[in-house]
Amino acid sequence: MPAAFAGLEGQMWLWLVAMIRPGAAFFAAPLFGMAAVPVQLRLVISLAIGMAGYATTPFFLPPDGVTSVAGFAMILGEVLAGAAMGFAVQIGFSAALLAGETIGNASGLGFASMIDPHSNAPSTAVAQFLSILATFLFLSIGGHLILARIIVESYHALPVGGAWPAMESLRGLVMFGGEIFAMGLAIALPVGFALILVQIIMALLARSAPAMNIFAVGLPATLLAAIILLAIAAPAIGEGIQAAIERGLDEAQALAVGK
């Protein structure tokens, strides 16, 4: 090997290890984890962020190499730290999907389902609409840049080789996962509560006029009410989704500093 390339192999191993944490975070995070995002693009972005993290906090490989017990422990810690940060953002993002499922089932649009590009699972049309809205809001507030900054800053508090999150941090992540239901229902509350009132009115009409075909009248009325209510409550829904995304970024920041 030429003398100019003598240290190239060791440097490439360092860059490869530096890619693990951003790669795991992007795999679990929204938008970056979509199946439509090419794997090659994720690798390039992970390498760029990993090199930035290595420049701020240099680290060294175990004496016995990456394939040793210490090397496997280091890699496992990197994967766990990156996945925890990305999953925290994903939890905040999923509040929009939960709100969409709630509104869709209450409005009768539960049968209109399609494949969600984020989870590759079927979801209602309303959930798809709110998911697209959440994606635009995530990009508008610079969520992708904030996540990249959080990953780079995490190398200070959680250096390579000591990236195991504390049990209190993992407990906080689990407790934050329980907040997704509260956030999703809070986002769906303006429209969902009004749709429940519409369903109660339809039930009263069916009770007072048994000869009326409630299915022929109730479904169009509920769909029309859902569309109008979504248009009216769009600003409040957008604020709720943005608050949920920011809450997820705050939780990822707390994990990055080891809290």
Side-chain angles (χ1 to χ4, degrees):
M1 180 179 295
F5 296 95
L8 181 60
E9 182 180 358
Q11 189 66 38
M12 292 185 65
W13 275 110
L14 290 175
W15 287 348
L16 180 63
V17 173
M19 290 173 57
I20 297 176
R21 187 181 303 185
F26 290 151
F27 180 79
L31 189 61
F32 297 101
M34 295 173 55
V37 179
V39 179
Q40 295 84 352
L41 179 60
R42 299 185 208 175
L43 293 176
V44 171
I45 298 176
S46 300
L47 177 60
I49 297 177
M51 291 175 64
Y54 173 71
T56 57
T57 309
F59 57 89
F60 302 95
L61 297 178
D64 296 334
V66 180
T67 58
S68 62
V69 176
F72 280 116
M74 178 186 64
I75 292 175
L76 185 59
E78 289 293 296
V79 172
L80 185 59
M85 289 184 287
F87 188 64
V89 183
Q90 181 66 56
I91 291 175
F93 196 89
S94 299
L97 294 176
L98 180 60
E101 294 287 346
T102 303
I103 296 174
N105 293 329
S107 62
L109 286 172
F111 61 88
S113 62
M114 55 193 307
I115 298 299
D116 180 23
H118 294 281
S119 60
N120 292 328
S123 61
T124 61
V126 181
Q128 284 290 308
F129 168 71
L130 295 185
S131 176
I132 295 173
L133 179 61
T135 302
F136 288 146
L137 290 173
F138 181 75
L139 295 175
S140 66
I141 64 176
H144 55 301
L145 302 178
I146 296 175
L147 179 60
R149 175 180 58 81
I150 290 173
I151 295 173
V152 174
E153 291 178 353
S154 68
Y155 285 94
H156 294 281
L158 302 173
V160 177
W164 289 89
M167 293 302 298
E168 188 65 24
S169 300
L170 296 179
R171 180 181 179 277
L173 180 61
V174 173
M175 297 302 295
F176 175 60
E179 296 182 17
I180 183 176
F181 299 99
M183 292 187 294
L185 292 178
I187 296 172
L189 184 61
V191 179
F193 183 73
L195 289 176
I196 292 175
L197 295 179
V198 173
Q199 296 288 352
I200 293 175
I201 294 174
M202 291 296 105
L204 294 175
L205 290 176
R207 190 68 175 176
S208 60
M212 182 181 64
N213 189 352
I214 191 61
F215 294 102
V217 179
L219 182 59
T222 305
L223 292 178
L224 180 61
I227 295 174
I228 296 175
L229 290 170
L230 280 173
I232 296 174
I237 292 175
E239 292 178 359
I241 294 175
Q242 181 175 342
I245 295 175
E246 292 175 350
R247 179 71 179 85
L249 291 172
D250 292 340
E251 185 65 26
Q253 179 68 43
L255 289 169
V257 298
K259 294 183 179 179

